[in-house]
């Protein structure tokens, strides 16, 4: 099974 | 004061259709650079970035930076009232809580204005760093849409693998498996029909097909799509908007448990 990562794991909030 | 006149109003209609499935509410930001939007889907798995450069508008007046919160379904309802050949003007006064969409028929015999209420949206703005991608695939957008649609009838996820052989889209589900390989093909009659693969090193990533299918709503905006892949980075699915800008969709990969 695979886990969906979140986009904010990769991009920081400004 | 904001006033943006877009002769090819159908572009704005297509932009809304491209993003409204993914994002419900978003801030449209206007600056001297252009008309832009950045928004995440409700699950914070995908992100859409839109840019329509000011030079692409017939008339572009934006006295000060302005952020206008809109419900995209409501914008879509308004824009669906514009004819496909209509000229669309977006107008807003500083400090106003409404935006006006004006539609002019090409021969100026019908002029309509629709005023829509704005909303306050507290949205996060993410910094997207420039990245070097291990593989960049450019292919016909209709072909990519067809692949995503076909694979989603078999499985829920797609593995996109780029090797020197080509780009492979694979899925697996209860009824079986599917693999579609597209080889580099530069020898076509029209450049937009080509599949071009720039690969620094092989890469293979897994993504949810539901989001990929949602991105393909942007297909009417561009004949080609560019898919940029790197290990441990979100994929970028980009549709260029002729001479004006782009819609870029970012999707976080799935990882093995």
């Amino acid at each position: 099974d695979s886990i969906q990562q979140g986009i904010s794991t990769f991009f920081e909030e400004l | 004061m904001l006033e943006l006149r877009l002769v090819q109003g159908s572009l704005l209609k297509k932009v809304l259709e491209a993003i409204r499935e993914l994002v419900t509410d978003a801030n449209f930001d206007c600056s001297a650079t252009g008309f832009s939007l950045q928004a995440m889907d409700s699950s914070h798995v995908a992100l859409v970035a839109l840019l329509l450069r000011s030079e692409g508008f017939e008339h572009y007046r934006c006295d000060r930076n302005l952020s206008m919160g809109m419900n995209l379904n409501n914008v879509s309802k308004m824009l669906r009232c514009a004819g496909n050949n209509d000229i669309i003007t977006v107008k807003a006064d500083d400090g106003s809580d409404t935006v006006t969409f004006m539609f002019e028929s090409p021969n100026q015999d019908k002029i309509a204005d629709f005023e829509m209420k704005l909303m306050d949206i507290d949205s996060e703005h993410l910094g997207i760093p420039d990245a070097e991608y291990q593989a960049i695939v450019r292919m016909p957008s209709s072909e990519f849409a067809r692949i995503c649609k076909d694979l989603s009838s078999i499985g829920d996820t797609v593995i996109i693998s780029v090797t020197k052989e080509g780009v492979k889209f694979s899925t697996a589900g209860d009824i079986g498996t599917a693999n579609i390989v597209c080889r580099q093909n530069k020898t076509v009659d029209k450049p937009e029909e080509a599949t071009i693969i720039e690969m620094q090193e092989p890469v293979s990533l897994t993504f949810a097909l539901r989001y990929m299918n949602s991105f393909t709503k942007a297909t009417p905006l561009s004949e080609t799509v560019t898919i940029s892949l790197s290990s441990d980075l979100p994929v970028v699915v980009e549709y260029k908007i002729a001479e004006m800008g782009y819609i870029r969709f970012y999707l976080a990969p799935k990882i093995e448990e």
Side-chain angles (χ1 to χ4, degrees):
Chain A
D1 270 7
S2 51
I3 305 167
Q4 177 64 64
Q5 300 181 94
I7 199 84
S8 40
T9 309
F10 301 94
F11 302 144
E12 281 182 31
E13 194 180 342
L14 292 178
Chain B
M1 173 78 182
L2 169 85
E3 197 167 286
L4 321 177
R5 190 168 198 261
L6 187 61
V7 172
Q8 208 183 335
S10 60
L11 271 184
L12 204 55
K13 288 161 71 87
K14 288 176 188 170
V15 163
L16 258 295
E17 292 312 302
I19 55 181
R20 75 182 176 91
E21 187 178 280
L22 195 68
V23 176
T24 313
D25 302 318
N27 284 314
F28 284 87
D29 299 314
C30 299
S31 71
T33 313
F35 193 60
S36 65
L37 169 150
Q38 191 202 85
M40 281 183 277
D41 77 293
S42 59
S43 310
H44 290 200
V45 166
L47 179 140
V48 55
L50 161 76
L51 174 66
L52 298 175
R53 290 184 199 93
S54 52
E55 305 88 79
F57 291 83
E58 191 205 28
H59 170 71
Y60 191 96
R61 179 180 169 187
C62 177
D63 297 342
R64 65 181 70 181
N65 290 358
L66 195 63
S67 189
M68 298 185 290
M70 301 188 206
N71 173 283
L72 299 190
N73 269 322
N74 293 347
V75 180
S76 178
K77 278 181 193 170
M78 297 257 167
L79 294 185
R80 266 181 270 165
C81 300
N84 278 332
N85 298 317
D86 280 3
I87 299 161
I88 298 182
T89 302
V90 181
K91 289 196 281 193
D93 290 320
D94 291 338
S96 169
D97 59 356
T98 62
V99 60
T100 299
F101 300 102
M102 192 172 89
F103 311 139
E104 294 167 69
S105 62
N107 60 4
Q108 310 279 310
D109 60 355
K110 181 179 168 191
I111 296 171
D113 59 84
F114 288 69
E115 191 180 79
M116 193 185 79
K117 291 173 193 162
L118 295 174
M119 56 199 290
D120 285 325
I121 298 167
D122 199 14
S123 70
E124 296 171 59
H125 209 79
L126 300 180
I128 303 167
D130 285 332
E132 290 283 319
Y133 287 92
Q134 287 167 284
I136 299 173
V137 177
R138 201 192 89 193
M139 64 190 297
S141 59
S142 55
E143 185 61 45
F144 177 63
R146 173 73 197 262
I147 290 168
C148 291
K149 181 170 167 280
D150 288 350
L151 294 187
S152 59
S153 63
I154 314 289
D156 297 328
T157 60
V158 59
I159 302 170
I160 306 179
S161 310
V162 183
T163 63
K164 60 180 193 302
E165 310 301 322
V167 54
K168 183 167 79 170
F169 301 87
S170 310
T171 195
D174 293 342
I175 63 165
T177 62
N179 295 289
I180 300 170
V181 178
C182 298
R183 293 206 174 89
Q184 174 150 282
N185 179 11
K186 290 179 175 173
T187 54
V188 285
D189 292 342
K190 298 177 192 163
E192 60 270 22
E193 289 170 0
T195 297
I196 296 166
I197 298 167
E198 290 170 29
M199 190 195 76
Q200 309 301 325
E201 51 189 305
V203 59
S204 182
L205 288 163
T206 305
F207 300 101
L209 271 168
R210 183 165 71 87
Y211 292 98
M212 285 290 179
N213 265 313
S214 173
F215 303 164
T216 63
K217 301 283 180 201
T219 303
L221 280 165
S222 178
E223 292 199 88
T224 62
V225 61
T226 306
I227 305 156
S228 303
L229 298 144
S230 259
S231 302
D232 306 320
L233 273 184
V235 62
V236 190
V237 179
E238 180 183 64
Y239 295 84
K240 288 229 183 327
I241 303 170
E243 292 158 27
M244 283 205 80
Y246 55 78
I247 289 190
R248 290 180 186 150
F249 297 101
Y250 297 82
L251 176 60
K254 299 185 88 168
I255 48 170
E256 288 307 312
E257 217 167 348

